[in-house]
Amino acid sequence: QVRLMQSGAEMKKPGASVRVSCKTSGYTFTSYGISWVRQAPGQGLEWMGWISTYNGDTNFAQKLQDRVTMTTETSTTTAYMELRGLRSDDTAVYYCAKCSATSCHSGGIDYWGQGTLVTVSP
Amino acid sequence: DIQMTQSPSTLSASVGDRVTITCRASQSISRWLAWYQQKPGKAPKFLIYKASNLESGVPSRFSGSGSGTEFTLTISSLQPDDFATYYCQQYDSFPLSFGGGTKVEIK
């Protein structure tokens, strides 16, 4: 079955960076893109960006594009999201999610990781 | 960028009620719309794609309709397991965007 297993909770200070990993299994990794979505406490879902697992193409939310990097490692079927220059309003649960098509703008998001809580506090 | 607006933000209903949630896009997205259900502390669950197609395993009491800029999610007979928050999402173009969510709570 399809599974996306994320790394554990992180606590960071303002200005630091965080890297969240997403180990996938149960499907052909390079056939479906990965999106990252975050959810601040008590708030809605915010799309952060997408990476093609086929060729590494990316597309990011404009507000984050200067601070976020998304990568994949095909040999281990793992996706990574790094966010730099952390601020208190980056405190959120971060989800990796599998697109139902090669690109997330050809299909919805059909499977989600369990989420990784990133807390940014002095 | 395409803005997605859901209404209502909160909905109080009883088991057995018919429930309808509306999602509006700021420009036409054809039928490139998905719906998700999220329960507290859990990841969202994929319910519907391309506006009206039920994901495998989703109960038939859920249905979606609409095209262009206006869409609806309907639960024909609300069940106890359906009390949750529902989100629409457009995937017509990047950046992808979600609606603000509709919380369905017990009346």
Side-chain angles (χ1 to χ4, degrees), chain A residues 38-119:
Chain A
R38 69 180 181 177
Q39 186 170 37
Q43 302 302 307
L45 302 171
E46 179 186 13
W47 181 79
M48 299 178 66
W50 160 84
I51 182 166
S52 166
T53 54
Y54 177 71
N55 61 13
D57 282 353
T58 54
N59 192 290
F60 302 127
Q62 188 171 16
K63 65 181 284 190
L64 296 173
Q65 63 183 10
D66 293 337
R67 298 195 293 132
V68 69
T69 301
M70 295 179 185
T71 57
T72 62
E73 190 172 77
T74 301
S75 62
T76 60
T77 66
T78 302
Y80 300 92
M81 185 283 298
E82 182 182 41
L83 188 61
R84 301 175 295 279
L86 288 168
R87 307 187 288 243
S88 58
D89 63 355
D90 291 318
T91 294
V93 174
Y94 289 74
Y95 293 102
C96 64
K98 171 187 166 292
C99 307
S100 63
T102 303
S103 169
C104 267
H105 87 77
S106 301
I109 295 172
D110 56 2
Y111 289 91
W112 298 68
Q114 82 275 21
T116 296
L117 175 62
V118 175
T119 303

Side-chain angles (χ1 to χ4, degrees), chain A residues 108, chain B residues 32-36 46 48-51 87-91:
Chain B
W32 303 119
L33 186 97
W35 288 97
Y36 303 89
F46 190 37
I48 287 172
Y49 62 97
K50 210 171 178 184
Y87 294 93
C88 62
Q89 179 227 333
Q90 68 81 17
Y91 54 94

Side-chain angles (χ1 to χ4, degrees), chain B residues 23-77:
Chain B
C23 176
R24 289 187 173 87
S26 60
Q27 65 190 68
S28 177
I29 57 170
S30 184
R31 293 173 57 81
W32 303 119
L33 186 97
W35 288 97
Y36 303 89
Q37 176 194 67
Q38 187 181 34
K39 296 182 178 179
K42 299 294 187 182
K45 175 186 175 183
F46 190 37
L47 296 179
I48 287 172
Y49 62 97
K50 210 171 178 184
S52 62
N53 294 272
L54 221 57
E55 174 69 350
S56 175
V58 175
S60 59
R61 63 182 179 272
F62 290 91
S63 64
S65 65
S67 65
T69 62
E70 188 150 337
F71 302 85
T72 59
L73 172 71
T74 299
I75 309 172
S76 60
S77 177

